[in-house]
Amino acid sequence: MKLKPMGGVLLGILLVQTATAQQNYFIDGYHGGFYGHYPDDYTAFINEQLQAHPAWKINLELEPVTWDAVQRREPEAYAVFKQTMSREAANGRIEYVNPSYGQSYLYTGSGESMIRQFSYGMQKIKAHFPEATFTTYSSEEPCFTSALPQVLLSFGIHYAALKNPNTCWGGYTRAFGGELVQWQGPDGSQVLTVPRYSSEQLEKKSTWQTTAWNNNVGYIQSALAAGIAHPVGMCLQDAGWRNGPWLKDHAQYVTWREYIGHVADHRKATVWKLSQEDVLVSLVWGAQALQRIAQQVRAAENNIVAAEKYAAMRTLLEQQAWPQYALDSAWKNLLLSQHHDCWIVPYNGRPGDTWIDKVQAWTDNTRAVSHDILQPPPLVAGQQIRLVNTTVLRRDEWVTIPYSSRTTLVVTDAQGKPIPSSRSTDTTLVFHAQVPPMGFTTYRLVEGQPLGNTAHLSSRLPDGKYNIHTDLYQVVIDPAKGGIITSLVDKRAGSKELVDAASSRGFNEMRGYFYHDSAWHSSMDTAATVTVLEDGVGKTTVQVKGFIGPHPFTQLITLASGQPRIDLQVTIDWQGNPGIGAYSQDKGYQAESPQKAFYNDSCKLLVLFPANLQQQQVHKDAPYDVTTSRLSNTFFNRWDSIKNNVLLHWVDVTDGAGREGLAVFSDHTTSYVHGEHYPLGFTLQYSGRALWGRNYTITGPTTVHYALLPHQGNWEQGGVAAEETKWCAPLQVVPGDSKATFSLFSVTDTRWQSPAVMIDGKDLLIRLYNAAGDDRPQEIRLNGKATQALLEQLDGRLLQSLKITNITNGGCVVKVAMPRFGIRTLRFKNVTINR
C-alpha cells in the first residue's frame, strides 16, 4: 500500500549522472491486484506500455486471482497479455516475483500457511500462464520471514530480494552487506539474495522509503563507494498508477532473474544468517481492529488444519470422500485473510466492504468448512463422542466440554467403564482423557454422578487471598491488589517462586497510559472480587472481577492437574472509547514525521509478568523458526528505529543459566515487551491515531485468551514448542462410533511436529517439522501399509526414496532425518490402513 505519486514529482528525481548511468539497474513492475487495486482496463494499459517501451522489463507481484477477473473483464487484453507471458516469462521481459496467493506478510501466520500461500498461488498462476516459471521472490511490502529460504528452494525458487524501497510503512529489513548475500535460514538453507545494502539509507523526510526507490545520485554513489559494482534500485508500482516505466529512459531495466543470474557478482556474496530480528516490522499492535483480525485468522488457521487432518483419517479409515473442493475453498479464503492490506490498512474500502469486513467473511468461510468436516455432535445422554488428537503427541489431559442435557452427565469409555470426572457446572463437563497421537479415543456420555475424588484445589486464606494448588503449581491471587498473582510456585523446580516480589509491577497486572485522563490506570489500583467458578480434583477456574480505571474487566484463571500450561482469559468492558497510548495525535498528525504514538508500546495497555529470573534471555517463535533475541529492550517510538518485537504464538524468558523459564502464549499475533529493567509482557490494547492518521478506535469489549508455561531448562528442554502445538490444536469433539481408539501414525521424537496431513488420490501426505530436536534420523510409524515412501519437495519434485520396514502389528516404519527447524513432506503411496 503506497501513496499515489503526485504529478511532476518524478521529473525531479530522474536525473542520474551520466558517468554512472550504465552502472546501475532498476527493478520496475507492479504490485497489488484484484483485492488491493487493479482497475478494469489496466491490463490493456500494461500491454500498451510494453509495446511502447521495448527496453522496459517488469516484475510482477499481482494477486494470482487477479487474472480470473481480468479474463472476465478484459478478454482481449487478457489474450494479448497471455501471449506476451508465454513469450517473455521464461527468460524475457516479465518475471512473476511473488506468486503467493494472498500477498501475506508471512511473519503473521503459521509456517504451514506460508507454504499454502505459495502452493495455491503458483497453482492459480499456472492455470492462466502455463509457461510461467518462478525463480525469484521479491515483494514491495516487508513480506519477509526468516525461514523463507528452505520454503523457496523447495518450490524451485533460487533467488530472493530483501528490498522494499518504496513501501516501508510497515517496516523494512536491516541494512546489511553489498551486492549479493547468501541468505541462510534457520535450517541452514541458503538462497542467493539482493539485500537492502548496508549503504542503503532510509529516506529523509519520509516514513515509507529507502534511498533505493528511484536510483538517485546519492544512492548510486554510496553503493559504488561501498564496492557494489552493479547497484540496483526498485519500485513495484501500485497497480493503477499510470506512469509506465517508473524512471522513464533514465534506467537500465532488468528482471530479478536477469540481474541476479547474469549481472550481479556472485563471488562477493557473503553468508547472512538472517535472524527474525533483522526483519524490522511494525503494525498497529494492540489496536482493536487489528487484534480482532489476528484472532479471526488464528482461529481459522487452527481450525482448518485440524479439519484437514481429521478428514485424512476418515478418508483412510472409513472410505469417506476426500473433501478437496471444500478444503481448497477454506484455505484460499484463509490465505486472503492474511493479505498484508488486511493488517496495515484494515479500515480501507467502502462501507460494508472494508478489509475488516473481508477478513470476517473469509475466516467465516474457513471456519464453516472446518465445522462441516468436524461436525460437532449434540452432547446429550447416550451420545458417543470421539476426542480427536491432531498432533503427534500422546494426549493425557483434562477436557472440558459443553453439553445440552438437563441431567447430570458423566463419561465412560467405549466399553462402558466410568472415566474420572470433576464436578461440572450446569453446562460443562470435565473429565480425564487419554488420546493416542494423530488419532482418536471414543467415549460415551451417560447420566450419573461424577466419579473421582471431590477434594477442592482452591481455598480462601485468612488474609483474604485465594490459594490454588495442583500437582504442579501453587498460585496465590490477591483480591486487594486487583486480583494479581502474588505467588506462583513451580513444584517441579524445587518449589521455585516465579513471581518477582521486588518488582514495582504486579504479576498479571494490566497497566497503560490513558492520555485523555492524563493518567496511568492499572488493574492493581482497585480491589477485585474473586470467585471460584469450578473446583475439583481435575480442574479449577477462578474468576476475577476488577477495574482498569473506570473500565470493568473479568478474568478467568484455569489450572488443571497434570497440565503445565496455566490458561487465562480476560474480557474488558470498555466504557466509551478511551485513548490509550503515549499521547494524542488527534491534532498535528504528519505522515512524514518519524515519531508516532503507536510505535511506543511502553504506554499501551500491557499485561505484565515480572519473573524471578536473573540475567534474563528471551526467545520467541516465528514461522518454522525460534529466535534468540539480541535486543536489550523492545521499545522504540520512531519509524527509523523499528525493532522486531512480534509475538506470534509465544515468547519465552529464561534465567541466564537456562535453568528455569516462563513462556507466554497469545491467541493472536501481537507485540511483546521486555527490557533489561522491564518485565516480560504483551500488548493488550492501543487506541488512537496511527498510520495515515487513521483513528484506531475501541468499538466494543476486548476478549483475549493467553497462557503461562513455567518450565525447567531453556525453551527446548522445557517443551515450549510442544505445549504451543497443543495450545493451537485442542482435542476436537466429533461424533463417535464403536471403534474405541485409532492412531494414524506416530513419530518417535515428540519434539517433531506434523503441521499438515493430506490425501492425494490413494496417497497419504505428511508434513514434518523439527521444532526442537536434533538431526538424527527418527522413525515415522504408519498404522498400515504403503507401496512406497518418498520425501518430496514442496512443488512435488522427488527428494529421496525411503526404505519401508514392515512391523508385526501390520504397520510399517520409515526413517527420516532433518536439521532443527527443517521441514519435510513425506508421501506414502497407495496406503491401506489397519482397521
Side-chain angles (χ1 to χ4, degrees):
M1 177 68 189
K2 297 191 285 288
L3 293 179
K4 188 173 182 179
M6 299 176 62
V9 172
L10 288 177
L11 295 178
I13 63 175
L14 299 179
L15 300 178
V16 179
Q17 290 183 345
T18 303
T20 63
Q22 298 305 313
Q23 301 178 52
N24 65 88
Y25 300 82
F26 198 77
I27 297 295
D28 202 350
Y30 293 104
H31 157 87
F34 175 76
Y35 290 105
H37 27 72
Y38 197 93
D40 288 351
D41 62 346
Y42 204 63
T43 309
F45 169 77
I46 295 175
N47 290 337
E48 293 168 0
Q49 294 298 308
L50 284 168
Q51 184 175 2
H53 304 281
W56 191 42
K57 299 176 183 179
I58 58 174
N59 301 262
L60 298 181
E61 187 191 22
L62 297 171
E63 300 154 13
V65 296
T66 300
W67 304 108
D68 292 345
V70 171
Q71 190 174 23
R72 293 191 308 271
R73 296 174 179 177
E74 299 181 83
E76 293 182 2
Y78 171 83
V80 171
F81 189 79
K82 186 168 184 175
Q83 290 178 348
T84 305
M85 280 289 287
S86 176
R87 182 177 64 251
E88 302 285 359
N91 295 297
R93 300 172 62 191
I94 304 174
E95 182 177 3
Y96 224 111
V97 294
N98 185 355
S100 65
Y101 194 85
Q103 293 189 354
S104 169
Y105 278 130
L106 301 179
Y107 67 84
T108 57
S110 71
E112 186 59 28
S113 287
M114 172 167 50
I115 289 173
R116 303 301 177 102
Q117 286 285 355
F118 286 97
S119 62
Y120 278 106
M122 289 177 168
Q123 182 184 78
K124 173 60 70 175
I125 292 168
K126 284 283 194 178
H128 287 282
F129 312 115
E131 295 83 7
T133 58
F134 306 103
T135 307
T136 313
Y137 177 78
S138 175
S139 177
E140 182 63 15
E141 305 272 350
C143 298
F144 310 118
T145 193
S146 55
L148 255 176
Q150 68 170 326
V151 174
L152 296 178
L153 290 171
S154 196
F155 276 112
I157 298 173
H158 301 287
Y159 304 147
L162 284 168
K163 295 177 181 289
N164 60 303
N166 204 30
T167 313
C168 300
W169 299 100
Y172 40 84
T173 57
R174 191 179 306 281
F176 180 91
E179 195 157 298
L180 290 175
V181 298
Q182 288 284 2
W183 172 8
Q184 181 169 309
D187 71 317
S189 298
Q190 293 183 355
V191 170
L192 199 59
T193 300
V194 178
R196 176 187 153 214
Y197 304 147
S198 57
S199 62
E200 183 181 334
Q201 302 299 309
L202 300 179
E203 189 75 272
K204 296 178 180 178
K205 298 182 180 179
S206 170
T207 55
W208 62 92
Q209 291 168 316
T210 77
T211 52
W213 75 284
N214 63 355
N215 272 18
N216 63 68
V217 173
Y219 168 69
I220 298 300
Q221 289 182 336
S222 67
L224 293 172
I228 299 169
H230 312 93
V232 62
M234 170 184 167
C235 176
L236 300 185
Q237 305 175 50
D238 274 13
W241 290 3
R242 303 283 178 168
N243 304 297
W246 182 241
L247 302 186
K248 304 307 178 187
D249 297 326
H250 299 267
Q252 185 168 340
Y253 295 101
V254 288
T255 62
W256 276 129
R257 179 192 295 118
E258 176 189 4
Y259 175 80
I260 300 174
H262 302 289
V263 176
D265 187 351
H266 294 202
R267 295 170 300 175
K268 296 182 179 180
T270 56
V271 175
W272 185 15
K273 295 181 180 180
L274 181 139
S275 161
Q276 191 73 353
E277 288 187 344
D278 294 317
V279 184
L280 305 171
V281 288
S282 178
L283 297 174
V284 191
W285 305 121
Q288 197 171 71
L290 188 62
Q291 186 178 74
R292 289 173 177 170
I293 285 171
Q295 288 175 324
Q296 290 162 352
V297 169
R298 176 68 53 78
E301 195 172 52
N302 292 341
N303 288 348
I304 192 56
V305 167
E308 188 174 62
K309 290 177 179 179
Y310 185 54
M313 295 181 206
R314 295 197 69 191
T315 297
L316 294 173
L317 187 64
E318 301 167 359
Q319 289 81 53
Q320 293 284 328
W322 175 246
Q324 186 68 62
Y325 179 82
L327 289 169
D328 287 346
S329 171
W331 272 109
K332 290 174 182 178
N333 277 271
L334 172 62
L335 300 177
L336 289 173
S337 74
Q338 296 170 343
H339 195 293
H340 64 267
D341 277 344
C342 300
W343 297 71
I344 197 166
V345 286
Y347 294 102
N348 279 14
R350 298 184 301 274
D353 191 32
T354 64
W355 287 104
I356 295 171
D357 300 314
K358 287 182 170 71
V359 170
Q360 182 73 65
W362 286 329
T363 55
D364 281 352
N365 173 278
T366 303
R367 296 176 74 174
V369 170
S370 304
H371 184 277
D372 288 346
I373 292 172
L374 294 169
Q375 297 178 344
L379 300 177
V380 296
Q383 174 72 50
Q384 282 189 315
I385 61 173
R386 286 176 177 172
L387 285 188
V388 179
N389 175 12
T390 57
T391 75
V392 294
L393 302 167
R394 183 172 297 277
R395 308 290 281 271
D396 188 341
E397 58 197 64
W398 289 87
V399 177
T400 300
I401 61 172
Y403 68 85
S404 50
S405 174
R406 294 185 178 180
T407 58
T408 302
L409 297 182
V410 294
V411 179
T412 71
D413 63 17
Q415 287 73 41
K417 181 181 177 181
I419 299 298
S421 58
S422 181
R423 295 183 184 275
S424 61
T425 67
D426 292 338
T427 58
T428 61
L429 175 64
V430 180
F431 66 99
H432 188 258
Q434 293 180 314
V435 189
M438 203 60 68
F440 59 78
T441 300
T442 300
Y443 296 95
R444 182 184 295 273
L445 303 179
V446 299
E447 294 184 15
Q449 293 301 313
L451 175 70
N453 190 338
T454 58
H456 296 299
L457 298 180
S458 66
S459 61
R460 187 175 183 183
L461 303 176
D463 60 2
K465 298 176 183 177
Y466 283 78
N467 180 59
I468 307 171
H469 66 90
T470 70
D471 55 335
L472 303 182
Y473 305 118
Q474 181 166 326
V475 175
V476 177
I477 298 171
D478 189 353
K481 294 183 178 179
I484 65 166
I485 295 172
T486 55
S487 176
L488 171 54
V489 172
D490 188 346
K491 297 178 181 179
R492 301 167 300 172
S495 295
K496 164 76 175 181
E497 174 62 71
L498 282 171
V499 174
D500 183 4
S503 174
S504 60
R505 304 268 53 92
F507 194 95
N508 201 37
E509 173 192 9
M510 292 172 282
R511 180 177 184 265
Y513 187 72
F514 290 66
Y515 53 77
H516 290 319
D517 300 340
S518 299
W520 291 89
H521 291 317
S522 166
S523 58
M524 291 180 64
D525 295 341
T526 308
T529 301
V530 176
T531 306
V532 179
L533 297 182
E534 180 182 20
D535 199 7
V537 65
K539 208 168 192 179
T540 291
T541 298
V542 172
Q543 175 184 270
V544 177
K545 282 183 168 288
F547 288 86
I548 306 167
H551 311 284
F553 73 85
T554 301
Q555 186 172 70
L556 302 178
I557 304 174
T558 300
L559 291 90
S561 296
Q563 178 175 292
R565 192 181 70 241
I566 302 171
D567 286 310
L568 301 99
Q569 179 174 294
V570 63
T571 298
I572 305 172
D573 186 13
W574 297 107
Q575 306 301 293
N577 174 38
I580 307 173
Y583 49 86
S584 171
Q585 288 194 284
D586 287 342
K587 296 180 180 179
Y589 178 93
Q590 292 182 326
E592 295 81 2
S593 173
Q595 188 164 323
K596 295 182 174 66
F598 84 89
Y599 290 131
N600 189 342
D601 281 359
S602 67
C603 295
K604 296 176 183 178
L605 184 68
L606 306 173
V607 188
L608 299 171
F609 309 99
N612 182 26
L613 300 167
Q614 305 304 311
Q615 298 178 327
Q616 294 181 3
Q617 174 66 63
V618 171
H619 290 83
K620 51 198 173 184
D621 85 317
Y624 291 140
D625 192 10
V626 174
T627 297
T628 301
S629 181
R630 301 176 300 203
L631 302 176
S632 59
N633 65 72
T634 60
F635 302 113
F636 60 93
N637 59 17
R638 294 171 57 92
W639 172 79
D640 52 13
S641 304
I642 292 174
K643 302 176 184 179
N644 188 305
N645 60 351
V646 178
L647 192 171
L648 178 60
H649 297 102
W650 58 265
V651 59
D652 180 71
V653 61
T654 58
D655 64 4
R659 290 188 294 263
E660 294 96 18
L662 176 71
V664 178
F665 298 171
S666 170
D667 70 351
H668 67 287
T669 304
T670 182
S671 61
Y672 75 96
V673 295
H674 184 265
E676 191 173 348
H677 302 292
Y678 202 95
L680 179 68
F682 72 89
T683 302
L684 188 60
Q685 202 76 84
Y686 170 78
S687 177
R689 298 204 177 271
L691 292 167
W692 297 281
R694 178 76 203 200
N695 194 5
Y696 282 70
T697 59
I698 291 173
T699 59
T702 289
T703 298
V704 171
H705 186 194
Y706 58 103
L708 303 175
L709 179 68
H711 60 85
Q712 288 86 59
N714 57 25
W715 70 270
E716 309 157 44
Q717 299 155 341
V720 175
E723 197 63 29
E724 178 260 319
T725 300
K726 292 189 283 187
W727 162 263
C728 289
L731 296 172
Q732 299 287 331
V733 182
V734 304
D737 58 19
S738 58
K739 189 164 185 64
T741 186
F742 173 74
S743 176
L744 179 59
F745 68 89
S746 62
V747 181
T748 52
D749 191 337
T750 55
R751 296 173 297 179
W752 285 28
Q753 299 173 2
S754 179
V757 179
M758 298 163 282
I759 299 296
D760 183 17
K762 296 181 180 181
D763 301 346
L764 173 65
L765 295 178
I766 299 172
R767 191 101 66 229
L768 299 168
Y769 169 52
N770 185 352
D774 54 37
D775 60 0
R776 290 178 293 181
Q778 302 298 328
E779 290 185 349
I780 292 83
R781 294 175 174 261
L782 178 68
N783 185 18
K785 301 293 186 184
T787 58
Q788 284 184 288
L790 310 172
L791 285 182
E792 295 183 343
Q793 302 281 22
L794 292 172
D795 61 2
R797 287 172 293 142
L798 178 64
L799 184 64
Q800 182 183 354
S801 294
L802 303 175
K803 178 184 177 182
I804 299 178
T805 302
N806 294 324
I807 53 180
T808 55
N809 66 355
C812 64
V813 173
V814 298
K815 290 186 177 182
V816 176
M818 60 177 158
R820 178 175 293 182
F821 306 130
I823 52 175
R824 296 291 185 270
T825 302
L826 172 60
R827 179 185 291 269
F828 283 110
K829 294 192 68 64
N830 302 307
V831 170
T832 56
I833 292 297
N834 295 330
R835 297 183 177 84

